[in-house]
Amino acid sequence: MSNKPVGSLSIDLDNKWAYLRAAGNADWKTASSYLPMATQRIVDLLGELNLPLTVFLVGRDLDDETDVDAIHHFDQLGHWEPANHSLNHLPWMHTMSDSEIQSEIMTTHDRISSRFGARPVGFRGPGFSCPTEVLRVLIRNDYSYDASIFPTSMAPIARAVFLARTNLQGEEREKAKKLYGGFDAMRNPNRPFVRQEQVDGQTHHLREIPVSTLPFLRTPIHFSYVTFLATFSVTLAKLYFASALNLCRWTGTAPSLLLHPPDFLGCEDDADMAYFPGMKMSRDAKLSFMRWALGKFANEFNVLTMQEQTETLAMAQTATHQPETT
């Protein structure tokens, strides 16, 4: 057993159509898929570093055979976990009815189970949107964890930048004004915890695994943000990321780090994604930086899937008899 502190690695496998729709592009339905290219690069790099991965899947993509074949590239890792990222990747689940939320989660749940022969036990809301009804659906269907919290101090800034770069109009723009939460996002813990929810008259517990931020300052440390910093200075980005891992170790924070497919794409790969953070880097420069960052994470932490992290935390809680409820 490794003596390294525990961490986890996940990817929101958002396809290009999801980003173009969120940006207000009218042609999003006819957008080409970059999943075949991106997934193979992800598998090649993570396989080289012997890293496991939790893959949050969007149900809409599981209707396309080419995309499903691309997702099966993760089988080459030998160690990956399929998880639920909703049906249509609408980043404003807080505006949906209870029945719509049920459909968004359970249609994807069934497609994952059918396509990959594994029952998902984890969920992340697109845009980190997670109203109470989401948690109720997860509990009723025996999910082990939710990963929809992003406790960052920069949520309002990220939302403002997103709105400035997109063409959203009318009702969709109003919905997007609640993306990422507000400064109250920082009230959430920056480490895994157990939350209590009342469902059908009974108290239930669900483990929450937040997307980790820099301890104390709560600035992002997910890879899209770090590659964005690297477009200005690779040296600065490396110093920031190395400092973040050090602070996680010093504070006993088990880092749950987040990837997106564009983290493995360069500016020459897809002009449609030019607005996305970090997409000004060339392919070779991006992959070189990602190899360094993921390698450092692998060297300093015992990296698990999120399901494994959840199980490890549950065993530790049982062994110490310490409640983690928040």
Side-chain angles (χ1 to χ4, degrees):
M1 177 177 285
S2 174
N3 291 323
K4 298 177 185 177
V6 167
S8 63
L9 183 65
S10 67
I11 185 167
D12 289 355
L13 202 69
D14 310 332
N15 210 340
K16 184 165 71 170
W17 62 263
Y19 290 121
L20 296 184
R21 184 187 59 194
N25 189 313
D27 299 327
W28 66 269
K29 289 184 179 180
T30 59
S32 59
S33 173
Y34 56 36
L35 293 188
M37 174 172 56
T39 54
Q40 190 58 63
R41 287 187 191 170
I42 296 164
V43 166
D44 289 345
L45 205 159
L46 267 59
E48 176 185 325
L49 298 170
N50 195 31
L51 281 169
L53 186 65
T54 295
V55 183
F56 286 92
L57 298 168
V58 178
R60 185 186 182 96
D61 290 321
L62 303 185
D63 261 350
D64 186 286
E65 294 300 329
T66 300
D67 286 337
V68 171
D69 288 344
I71 295 166
H72 272 296
H73 286 155
F74 293 114
D75 294 341
Q76 299 171 33
L77 290 177
H79 194 187
W80 74 286
E81 171 204 357
N84 193 326
H85 198 35
S86 82
L87 177 61
N88 290 297
H89 200 272
L90 293 166
W92 31 75
M93 294 187 76
H94 50 276
T95 69
M96 294 181 182
S97 67
D98 290 357
S99 62
E100 288 173 327
I101 289 173
Q102 170 83 14
S103 177
E104 282 286 319
I105 296 173
M106 294 313 298
T107 302
T108 301
H109 177 99
D110 292 341
R111 290 182 183 180
I112 291 172
S113 299
S114 174
R115 290 291 198 176
F116 302 101
R119 180 184 174 280
V121 297
F123 176 81
R124 178 176 287 140
F128 307 105
S129 179
C130 189
T132 301
E133 182 57 25
V134 166
L135 302 175
R136 294 189 182 119
V137 172
L138 299 183
I139 288 169
R140 289 186 182 118
N141 290 279
D142 297 321
Y143 273 58
S144 299
Y145 68 89
D146 174 69
S148 303
I149 287 180
F150 183 32
T152 178
S153 59
M154 295 183 67
I157 298 171
R159 182 171 58 248
V161 171
F162 172 81
L163 290 171
R165 291 184 174 184
T166 63
N167 296 316
L168 290 177
Q169 302 293 329
E171 183 181 357
E172 288 193 338
R173 189 171 183 86
E174 286 302 310
K175 291 178 179 178
K177 288 181 179 179
K178 294 185 179 181
L179 284 176
Y180 313 131
F183 284 114
D184 58 348
M186 289 191 296
R187 297 176 186 172
N188 290 302
N190 191 31
R191 63 185 70 203
F193 63 96
V194 175
R195 63 196 307 165
Q196 291 187 142
E197 294 293 334
Q198 290 291 322
V199 179
D200 302 328
Q202 295 184 348
T203 300
H204 295 263
H205 297 89
L206 183 71
R207 195 171 298 275
E208 190 72 54
I209 304 182
V211 175
S212 298
T213 58
L214 185 72
F216 306 119
L217 292 181
R218 295 292 187 94
T219 51
I221 56 175
H222 61 73
F223 290 96
S224 296
Y225 182 77
V226 180
T227 56
F228 171 68
L229 294 181
T231 62
F232 300 98
S233 169
V234 171
T235 300
L236 173 63
K238 287 184 175 181
L239 178 62
Y240 177 78
F241 187 70
S243 298
L245 294 185
N246 285 337
L247 275 174
C248 285
R249 285 201 312 276
W250 294 340
T251 59
T253 302
S256 180
L257 300 188
L258 172 60
L259 296 160
H260 294 92
D263 299 339
F264 299 84
L265 304 178
C267 57
E268 65 268 57
D269 286 321
D270 200 319
D272 291 337
M273 293 297 297
Y275 80 96
F276 194 84
M279 285 301 290
K280 292 183 179 180
M281 294 182 76
S282 70
R283 177 192 312 128
D284 289 346
K286 176 82 72 72
L287 292 176
S288 175
F289 179 82
M290 291 298 295
R291 181 174 288 104
W292 172 85
L294 286 166
K296 188 166 185 62
F297 187 36
N299 286 334
E300 298 186 11
F301 288 85
N302 177 23
V303 182
L304 308 174
T305 64
M306 298 185 77
Q307 182 178 5
E308 290 170 334
Q309 184 179 19
T310 300
E311 293 168 352
T312 299
L313 290 168
M315 287 189 292
Q317 180 184 358
T318 299
T320 59
H321 304 289
Q322 291 181 354
E324 296 181 78
T325 305
T326 297

